[in-house]
Amino acid sequence: MAKSLVERCHEVMNFLDEKRAERLRHAKALLQARGKDQLLHAIPFLQLELLMHQEVRTLWPYLLAIPDREETRYFCDMYECKLEDLGKRVQTRINEMIRFLDVIENKLHKTYPPGSFWVAIREELLAKICREARKVLEE
C-alpha cells in the first residue's frame, strides 16, 4: 500500500530532525577551525545542507495538494516563504550549496599565493559559509 502524502511529510520532517544534530556538529567544527581546516569542515557541512534541501525538494510539489495542513506550514516556516514560493526557494538553496561545493572542491583546495584572486574568493566564500553555520547555531 502506498504511503499517504502526510506520512511522507512526517518522514521528511523526522529525517530533517535527525540531521539537524549532525549539521550542528559540523557548524561548530567549521566555526572553530582556522585556515585550510575550515575547508575540510565546510565540505561536510555543505553536503549535509544539500542533502536536507534535496529531501525537501522531493516533497514540495505535492504540498500544493495539502495547502492548509500543518505539515505544509512546517516547510513554509522552515524556508520563511509562502507555499507558492517554496519550490523556488528550495531549488535556490540547492543550487547555492552545489555552487559552493563545486568551488571548494575544484578551486579552493589548491595552494595559491597570498593576495591572489582565488585566495580572496576562498576567504569570501568561507565567510559566507561561516555565516550559514552561525545561523544553524542560533536556531
Side-chain angles (χ1 to χ4, degrees), residues 81-94:
C81 67
K82 296 178 182 176
L83 179 57
E84 57 268 13
D85 300 326
L86 183 60
K88 184 177 181 179
R89 182 75 55 101
V90 171
Q91 191 59 49
T92 298
R93 294 295 290 159
I94 288 170

Side-chain angles (χ1 to χ4, degrees), residues 92-105:
T92 298
R93 294 295 290 159
I94 288 170
N95 292 345
E96 189 175 44
M97 295 302 115
I98 290 171
R99 188 173 55 250
F100 287 172
L101 282 166
D102 182 55
V103 170
I104 287 175
E105 291 172 344

Side-chain angles (χ1 to χ4, degrees), residues 66-82:
I66 55 169
D68 297 325
R69 296 282 311 209
E70 82 176 61
E71 292 81 7
T72 300
R73 284 190 295 279
Y74 171 89
F75 292 105
C76 290
D77 290 348
M78 181 178 156
Y79 284 92
E80 300 175 345
C81 67
K82 296 178 182 176

